């Protein structure tokens, strides 16, 4: 039985990846941080099949202990301070968790048996302000936030460990991927929960920031399949994972409100304070390499993604 360790297992991607690996017969371990309230809701239904460990990407000693106890065949580093807007307000913390955290985990892996395969979760935000789209594995990183800068550092640390020590260490540069489990602070979740609130009479307006931002949106369940495939290759390589289609926040609003027969312009207002200090106008990926080498294809299109999120939000009202 293969053994996997997932940091960030309680998040959107971590929970979907845990389900995928369990279905494939893995023994799955995950790290969780101490918090005043439990944060295991996304693991409901599979928690009893997991082995969870107290740990944090800011604590190298704990990471080394966990690696020694678990002895995983595969490590998926999905843990991060992942809110781009918040990263502007907490740049030091973001760098410590998202950037140096990857370096600590890589070192813990390196000190192990040398056979562990390592996956680093990269982000389309690393391309940031690069106007040459669609971007691929050879495109230049022009990060536009502390979060993106930390992810670029983690990316290069992963490559450095691969090239300097011969580790099986690979990056997946994933473009925006959403789902019914998306965190409350992300714009897609704000839209669908806001819509549910309007229909339930709890709120009159949905307040958002930049409606013109254009993003390449897929479903997280498709993207964790790519993560797993990346670690099954004969040699470690880096891959862009994307749908190749970009839509604006306005497009998302159109689809979401059309789902329930409403005109979003009657219910949505903008607040400049919710806009980032620097916001990439478009993030669009070219996943040709992933299609060719991994045989990966996204299964959920944009319209279906929006419908799934809207329907789930409405069921929760």
């Amino acid at each position: 039985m293969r053994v996997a360790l997932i940091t960030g297992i309680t998040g959107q991607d971590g929970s979907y990846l845990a389900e995928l690996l369990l279905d494939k017969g893995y023994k799955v371990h995950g790290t969780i941080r101490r918090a005043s309230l439990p944060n295991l809701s996304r693991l409901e239904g599979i928690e009893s099949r997991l082995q969870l460990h107290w740990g944090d990407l800011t604590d190298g000693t704990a990471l080394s202990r966990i690696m020694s106890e678990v002895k995983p065949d595969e490590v998926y580093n999905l843990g991060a301070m992942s809110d781009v807007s918040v990263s502007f307000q907490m740049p030091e913390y973001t760098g410590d968790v998202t950037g140096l955290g990857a370096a600590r985990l890589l070192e813990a892996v390196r000190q192990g048996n040398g056979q562990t395969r390592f996956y680093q979760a990269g982000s389309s935000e690393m391309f940031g302000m690069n106007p040459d789209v669609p971007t691929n594995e050879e495109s230049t990183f022009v990060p536009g936030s502390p979060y993106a800068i930390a992810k670029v550092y983690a990316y290069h640390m992963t490559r450095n460990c691969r090239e300097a020590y011969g580790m099986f260490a690979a990056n997946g540069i994933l473009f925006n991927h959403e789902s019914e489990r998306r965190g409350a602070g992300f714009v897609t979740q704000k839209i669908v929960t806001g819509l549910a609130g309007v229909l339930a009479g709890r709120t009159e307006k949905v307040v958002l920031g930049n409606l013109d931002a254009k993003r390449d949106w897929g479903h997280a369940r498709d993207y964790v399949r790519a993560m797993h495939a990346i670690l099954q290759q004969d040699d470690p390589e880096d891959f862009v994972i994307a749908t190749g289609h970009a839509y604006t926040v306005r497009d998302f609003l159109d689809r979401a409100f059309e789902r329930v027969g409403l005109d979003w312009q009657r219910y949505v207002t903008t607040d400049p304070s919710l806009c980032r200090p620097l916001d990439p106008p478009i993030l669009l990926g070219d996943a040709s390499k992933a299609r060719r080498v991994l045989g990966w294809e996204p299964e959920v299109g944009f319209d279906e993604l929006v419908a799934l999120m809207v329907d789930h939000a409405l069921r929760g009202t």
Side-chain angles (χ1 to χ4, degrees):
M1 178 182 293
R2 295 186 67 76
V3 178
L5 172 67
I6 304 171
T7 68
I9 196 170
T10 60
Q12 168 188 258
D13 292 6
S15 63
Y16 281 120
L17 179 61
E19 290 175 353
L20 175 72
L21 296 178
L22 287 171
D23 288 345
K24 291 182 176 295
Y26 280 68
K27 184 175 184 179
V28 180
H29 297 253
T31 62
I32 55 173
R33 293 178 296 160
R34 173 69 177 88
S36 298
L37 297 173
N39 183 30
L40 302 177
S41 59
R42 294 185 180 95
L43 303 179
E44 186 177 351
I46 63 169
E47 183 182 351
S48 63
R49 301 169 62 193
L50 304 171
Q51 295 198 30
L52 303 177
H53 306 260
W54 297 113
D56 194 290
L57 289 170
T58 62
D59 187 345
T61 300
L63 295 176
S64 294
R65 171 185 56 79
I66 293 169
M67 282 295 302
S68 178
E69 292 174 357
V70 175
K71 297 179 174 58
D73 299 294
E74 299 171 6
V75 171
Y76 296 85
N77 184 31
L78 311 187
M81 202 308 288
S82 59
D83 190 310
V84 179
S85 295
V86 172
S87 77
F88 282 99
Q89 302 175 50
M90 303 178 68
E92 182 179 345
Y93 177 74
T94 302
D96 192 13
V97 175
T98 306
L100 289 175
R104 294 185 187 101
L105 186 56
L106 279 161
E107 184 61 14
V109 171
R110 189 177 76 85
Q111 296 291 345
N113 61 20
Q115 302 303 310
T116 300
R117 297 187 169 205
F118 180 88
Y119 170 86
Q120 169 60 30
S123 167
S124 59
E125 291 284 343
M126 294 169 8
F127 295 118
M129 309 308 292
N130 186 339
D132 299 324
V133 297
T135 46
N136 60 28
E137 294 81 6
E138 305 303 318
S139 299
T140 301
F141 295 139
V142 189
S145 67
Y147 167 80
I149 292 166
K151 282 291 190 181
V152 170
Y153 174 85
Y155 168 91
H156 284 298
M157 284 300 299
T158 301
R159 289 198 59 155
N160 182 252
C161 285
R162 180 169 77 217
E163 294 165 2
Y165 304 116
M167 293 172 58
F168 194 110
N171 291 284
I173 307 173
L174 274 57
F175 279 67
N176 294 63
H177 47 289
E178 318 296 317
S179 76
E180 304 90 311
R181 301 177 189 174
R182 196 43 146 159
F186 292 83
V187 65
T188 54
Q189 193 65 275
K190 287 181 179 179
I191 290 171
V192 298
T193 56
L195 172 57
V198 166
L199 291 173
R202 294 192 302 269
T203 184
E204 294 182 357
K205 293 291 184 180
V206 180
V207 184
L208 302 173
N210 180 12
L211 303 187
D212 296 318
K214 203 169 187 180
R215 297 293 183 261
D216 185 330
W217 275 305
H219 195 290
R221 195 185 297 275
D222 286 339
Y223 285 52
V224 300
R225 288 193 291 106
M227 296 177 191
H228 178 258
I230 288 171
L231 290 197
Q232 309 316 306
Q233 302 306 298
D234 292 335
D235 299 302
E237 295 184 55
D238 305 322
F239 292 89
V240 162
I241 306 299
T243 70
H245 303 281
Y247 300 87
T248 65
V249 175
R250 293 176 191 275
D251 293 328
F252 199 103
L253 283 165
D254 279 336
R255 304 301 202 282
F257 278 73
E258 282 176 3
R259 183 78 176 166
V260 296
L262 296 180
D263 178 0
W264 67 265
Q265 296 185 68
R266 294 179 54 194
Y267 302 96
V268 175
T269 185
T270 58
D271 181 350
S273 70
L274 297 179
C275 296
R276 302 176 192 172
L278 195 62
D279 195 4
I282 180 171
L283 296 174
L284 174 63
D286 173 7
S288 298
K289 179 181 176 183
R291 288 177 164 86
R292 182 179 71 255
V293 177
L294 305 178
W296 177 85
E297 290 282 351
E299 296 178 354
V300 179
F302 180 70
D303 288 351
E304 183 181 356
L305 168 66
V306 178
L308 287 168
M309 293 186 68
V310 169
D311 292 352
H312 183 265
L314 295 181
R315 285 196 296 272
T317 58

